[in-house]
Amino acid sequence: MKLKLPDNFGGITVDGVEVPLKPNKKGVIDAEEGIAQLLLTHGAVPVDGVDSVEA
């Protein structure tokens, strides 16, 4: 799932382990389902369309 992270998003940990996130220049990542759901609860928003996610 493609998600736009909030500005100045610091990161996220799962079970005490930091999850590596590598957003593009626009702050968009492609997250696995479980991580995506967690990120959505922390302010990330789904991104639709290919044009909006290109770096």
Side-chain angles (χ1 to χ4, degrees):
M1 173 180 269
K2 296 215 183 290
L3 299 172
K4 168 77 169 84
L5 298 175
D7 292 339
N8 301 318
F9 188 79
I12 198 162
T13 59
V14 176
D15 297 328
V17 178
E18 186 173 342
V19 176
L21 301 174
K22 294 182 177 145
N24 68 14
K25 293 177 184 177
K26 292 184 178 183
V28 175
I29 65 163
D30 192 9
E32 298 174 10
E33 184 64 29
I35 299 300
Q37 294 303 318
L38 188 57
L39 290 169
L40 287 169
T41 65
H42 285 85
V45 293
V47 176
D48 294 324
V50 174
D51 293 340
S52 61
V53 297
E54 292 179 0

